[in-house]
C-alpha cells in the first residue's frame, strides 16, 4: 500500500509509522515482582498514547522461581492523562502482545511484539487503539501490562521490564 500510494497520481502521502517516515520513540519501564503473587496479579510496565503505532517490544525478566505472564494492554488508571473515567484501568486485551512467557528462569531480551500471533504486520501500522480492536480512539493513554497467568510466581523478587519503540 505504501508504494502504491507513492506511485499514485497525485501522490498519496503515507501516515507516519504506517508506510511513511516518522520519529521512532522509545520508552522503557520495569518493576520488581513480589514473591508469592497469584494468577491474575498485574504489573503496569509502560504507558503509551492511544494513537502510538507500536513497532517493537523487548521483554526481559530475572528468574522468578516460577511464573508465566501474558503481555497485553489496559486503559490507563490515571485521572489526569485524558483517559475517560468509564475506561480507567479496564483490560483491553490481556495477551495481545505475548502469551505465557515463562519467567521461572531468567528471560533474556527477546522481541515479543507478536509472540501471541495476534499483533500481525498490518496491525503494527495502525494506532494502538485500532490494533487492539477498539471501535474509536478513546484518547488518553494505554498501559502495557504483564498479567500472571496459569502459574503463580513462587520466590519472585526479580526485576521484569520492557522497552517499547513506537511512532506517533
Amino acid at each position: 500500500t505504501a508504494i502504491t500510494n507513492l506511485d499514485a497520481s497525485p501522490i498519496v502521502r503515507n501516515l507516519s509509522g504506517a508506510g511513511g517516515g516518522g520519529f521512532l520513540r522509545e520508552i522503557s519501564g520495569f518493576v520488581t515482582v513480589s514473591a508469592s503473587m497469584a494468577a491474575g496479579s498485574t504489573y503496569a510496565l509502560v504507558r503509551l498514547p492511544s494513537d502510538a503505532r507500536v513497532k517493537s517490544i523487548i521483554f526481559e525478566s530475572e528468574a522468578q522461581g516460577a511464573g508465566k505472564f501474558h503481555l497485553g494492554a489496559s486503559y490507563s488508571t490515571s485521572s489526569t492523562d485524558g483517559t475517560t473515567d468509564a475506561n480507567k484501568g479496564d483490560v483491553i486485551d490481556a495477551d495481545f502482545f505475548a502469551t505465557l512467557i515463562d519467567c521461572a528462569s531468567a528471560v533474556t531480551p527477546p522481541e515479543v511484539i507478536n509472540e501471541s500471533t495476534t499483533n500481525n504486520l498490518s496491525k503494527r501500522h495502525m494506532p494502538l487503539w485500532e490494533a487492539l480492536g477498539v471501535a474509536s480512539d478513546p484518547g488518553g493513554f494505554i498501559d502495557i501490562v504483564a498479567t500472571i497467568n496459569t502459574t503463580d510466581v513462587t520466590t519472585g523478587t526479580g526485576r521484569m521490564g520492557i522497552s517499547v519503540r513506537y511512532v506517533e
Side-chain angles (χ1 to χ4, degrees):
T1 303
I3 299 300
T4 302
N5 286 344
L6 296 174
D7 287 344
S9 181
I11 291 174
V12 177
R13 294 186 59 93
N14 295 304
L15 298 173
S16 177
F23 292 103
L24 193 59
R25 299 172 184 260
E26 184 169 351
I27 186 170
S28 60
F30 73 91
V31 297
T32 300
V33 177
S34 300
S36 303
M37 294 302 289
S41 299
T42 60
Y43 294 94
L45 299 169
V46 298
R47 182 166 287 166
L48 300 170
S50 64
D51 63 349
R53 286 174 164 77
V54 180
K55 301 301 182 181
S56 173
I57 299 177
I58 305 294
F59 177 88
E60 184 173 6
S61 178
E62 294 173 342
Q64 304 300 338
K68 292 186 179 180
F69 293 83
H70 288 330
L71 197 59
S74 297
Y75 290 105
S76 162
T77 56
S78 175
S79 57
T80 60
D81 68 2
T83 302
T84 64
D85 288 337
N87 290 338
K88 273 186 209 158
D90 288 351
V91 175
I92 303 169
D93 190 328
D95 63 354
F96 183 73
F97 298 107
T99 305
L100 297 176
I101 301 170
D102 190 344
C103 294
S105 300
V107 178
T108 56
E111 172 62 67
V112 295
I113 187 78
N114 191 32
E115 185 278 339
S116 67
T117 70
T118 303
N119 189 27
N120 60 40
L121 284 168
S122 60
K123 288 186 179 180
R124 283 178 258 154
H125 280 201
M126 298 175 182
L128 184 54
W129 65 266
E130 185 177 3
L132 289 165
V134 177
S136 62
D137 186 356
F141 286 75
I142 294 173
D143 292 344
I144 297 182
V145 177
T147 303
I148 300 173
N149 189 284
T150 307
T151 306
D152 297 349
V153 170
T154 54
T155 55
T157 71
R159 292 168 295 180
M160 168 180 55
I162 60 175
S163 177
V164 179
R165 292 184 181 143
Y166 68 97
V167 177
E168 282 186 276

